[in-house]
């Protein structure tokens, strides 16, 4: 019998391990809820143990709800977008989202076989709140993302019901967000360790706009040997310690990410922002395998597009494309940290057929970090430097945090694509 090392210490978020997680500071809660008006709620289902009996259990699944605009997203819509890095997965409602560039329903996360039930539940919730849907108002297509939790959960038993969707929505709140084995992430696995729900945020300095950006992930991808934690090849070492331990085999898994920001972005800019989420996923070790679904949904809270108006046009605030670079960097940082938070906060779990998924041994991660601390300490974090060729003229401003006023800061030192 293979001995599986088990870490018994308390779970902490990635930042508490002293990892190098980027140069921008997180928001108050280091969560997607740092973006004003964004609420998150979970419904977690854990029941039964032993051999898999389809329809009976064991159950290790749930629902996570992300509610933009304090939940009033149907009547007061927001600009949205997305990106598919690899499409072996599903986010229902994505086709219309990409076509219209609007978010008009809550965003729900669950397991693969529960997408229909969760979509039904969201539709029921919205129809009860807005009886004019399908008559006075247009029909809706709820945005529901999924990952496969079948290694731990009786996924074909379809245990997620309408009432669980209602519970997740009812539990949606601002402030700290529960992570790890909660909601849609209950049965998820990341790099052969227990994964699940994770979140993080970044607050840009005023000179770069002062915007807040948050990411929430349902993380379920990867193999142990690929895992990188704060850039350190932790997975390669741990793979030797866990050699011979049962894993979910050939299944690579997937990840769904949700990005929120208060920066005033149009749909095409949100699409571009969502692409950079893929860079953050790659930092943790993903190569977006053939059978994996890396799908990203994003929205901006800065502009409200009313469902009812007598006007023929409406005005939007718009961030210049040249100002997007700090957001690109921030979303990459927040995505990496959100995934690491998911696996750092998740606890070990035994599910269907006795399949056991260990928790990431945080003592091993600390050992890596402590060994590298002299290196980290010798690197002085400096503000962003442009990667563009140096100008012939001496620049009059740089992206120096706190040293350049908003009124004098230029969008960029580089000529735009339009010349």
């Amino acid at each position: 019998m293979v001995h599986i090392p088990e870490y018994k210490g308390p779970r902490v978020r990635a930042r508490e391990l002293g990892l190098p997680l980027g140069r921008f500071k997180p928001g108050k809660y280091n969560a997607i809820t740092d973006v004003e008006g964004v609420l998150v709620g979970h419904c977690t289902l854990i029941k039964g143990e032993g051999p898999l009996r389809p329809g009976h259990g064991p159950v290790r699944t749930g629902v996570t709800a992300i509610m933009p605009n304090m939940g009033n997203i149907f009547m007061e819509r927001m600009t949205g977008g997305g990106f598919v890095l690899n499409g072996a997965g599903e986010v229902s409602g994505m086709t219309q989202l990409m076509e219209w560039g609007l978010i008009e329903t809550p965003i729900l996360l669950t397991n693969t076989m529960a997408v229909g039930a969760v979509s039904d539940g969201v539709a029921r919730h919205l129809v009860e709140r807005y009886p004019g849907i399908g008559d006075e108002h247009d029909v809706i297509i709820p945005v529901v993302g999924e990952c496969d939790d079948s290694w731990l959960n009786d996924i074909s038993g379809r245990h997620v019901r309408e009432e669980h969707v209602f519970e997740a929505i009812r539990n949606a709140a601002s402030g700290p967000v529960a992570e790890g084995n909660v909601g849609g992430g209950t049965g998820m696995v990341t790099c052969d360790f227990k994964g699940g729900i994770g979140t993080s945020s970044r607050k840009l300095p005023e000179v770069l706009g002062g915007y807040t950006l948050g990411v929430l992930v349902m993380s379920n991808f990867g193999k142990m040997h690929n895992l990188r934690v704060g850039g350190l090849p932790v997975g390669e070492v741990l793979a030797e310690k866990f050699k011979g331990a049962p894993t979910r085999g050939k299944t690579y898994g997937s990840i769904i990410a949700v990005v929120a920001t208060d920066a005033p972005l149009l749909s095409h800019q949100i699409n571009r922002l969502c692409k950079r989420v893929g860079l953050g996923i790659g930092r943790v070790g993903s190569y977006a395998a053939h059978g994996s679904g890396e799908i990203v949904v994003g929205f901006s809270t800065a502009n409200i597009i009313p469902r009812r108006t007598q006007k023929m046009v409406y005005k939007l605030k718009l961030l210049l494309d040249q100002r997007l670079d700090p957001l690109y960097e921030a979303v990459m940082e927040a995505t990496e940290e959100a995934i690491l938070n998911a696996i750092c906060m998740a606890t070990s779990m035994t599910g269907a057929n006795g399949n056991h998924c260990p928790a990431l041994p945080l003592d091993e991660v600390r050992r890596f970090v402590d060994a590298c601390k002299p290196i980290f300490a010798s690197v002085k974090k400096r503000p962003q430097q442009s990667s563009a060729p140096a100008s012939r003229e001496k620049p009059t401003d740089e992206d120096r945090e706190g040293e350049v006023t908003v009124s004098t800061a230029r969008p960029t030192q580089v000529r735009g694509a339009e010349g």
Side-chain angles (χ1 to χ4, degrees), residues 28-243:
K28 179 178 180 180
Y29 303 108
N30 194 13
I32 195 172
T33 50
D34 285 320
V35 179
E36 186 175 356
V38 178
L39 314 178
V40 175
H42 304 295
C43 174
T44 302
L45 304 177
I46 298 176
K47 182 175 68 174
E49 58 185 23
L52 174 65
R53 295 176 58 216
H56 297 275
V59 180
R60 305 285 189 273
T61 194
V63 182
T64 293
I66 299 99
M67 311 288 286
N69 202 14
M70 301 296 290
N72 189 32
I73 192 63
F74 176 73
M75 293 302 293
E76 304 291 337
R77 301 170 296 177
M78 294 176 171
T79 54
F83 176 65
V84 178
L85 178 60
N86 196 66
E90 182 59 56
V91 172
S92 68
M94 190 108 173
T95 306
Q96 178 176 287
L97 168 61
M98 300 301 290
E99 180 69 22
W100 285 0
L102 293 176
I103 284 284
E104 61 177 11
T105 76
I107 302 165
L108 281 290
L109 306 177
T110 189
N111 76 64
T112 307
M113 300 289 281
V115 171
V118 172
S119 183
D120 283 348
V122 178
R124 174 75 176 272
H125 162 76
L126 290 174
V127 167
E128 289 182 352
R129 185 170 178 180
Y130 308 101
I133 291 176
D135 180 14
E136 176 188 0
H137 304 301
D138 201 355
V139 295
I140 54 167
I141 307 176
V143 179
V144 182
E146 57 78 26
C147 290
D148 177 4
D149 59 11
S150 58
W151 200 63
L152 293 172
N153 175 51
D154 172 23
I155 193 169
S156 64
R158 294 181 292 173
H159 296 275
V160 175
R161 304 281 190 267
E162 196 174 74
E163 60 264 28
H164 303 134
V165 178
F166 294 164
E167 182 178 339
I169 292 174
R170 186 169 58 249
N171 289 339
S174 59
V177 175
E179 297 171 299
N181 307 352
V182 293
T186 301
M188 302 304 172
V189 179
T190 300
C191 296
D192 296 322
F193 293 110
K194 189 64 188 70
I197 298 296
T199 186
S200 183
S201 69
R202 292 295 184 272
K203 174 75 172 178
L204 297 185
E206 289 300 321
V207 69
L208 299 179
Y211 302 115
T212 300
L213 176 148
V215 176
L216 183 142
V217 299
M218 183 166 70
S219 183
N220 188 53
F221 70 90
K223 299 297 182 182
M224 190 181 298
H225 63 270
N226 294 129
L227 175 64
R228 303 186 74 83
V229 179
L232 305 173
V234 173
E236 295 181 28
V237 174
L238 293 181
E240 287 298 315
K241 294 180 179 291
F242 286 82
K243 190 174 182 179

Side-chain angles (χ1 to χ4, degrees), residues 338-394:
I339 298 169
L340 294 177
N341 280 340
I343 58 177
C344 285
M345 290 299 292
T347 56
S348 61
M349 177 176 284
T350 301
N353 293 323
N355 291 334
H356 180 77
C357 187
L360 177 70
L362 299 185
D363 51 350
E364 296 284 351
V365 177
R366 283 193 178 95
R367 192 171 295 119
F368 265 84
V369 174
D370 289 343
C372 295
K373 273 183 179 178
I375 301 174
F376 298 155
S378 67
V379 178
K380 183 179 180 181
K381 289 186 178 181
R382 295 189 299 175
Q384 179 183 9
Q385 301 295 320
S386 173
S387 59
S391 171
R392 295 179 182 176
E393 298 179 4
K394 185 178 180 180

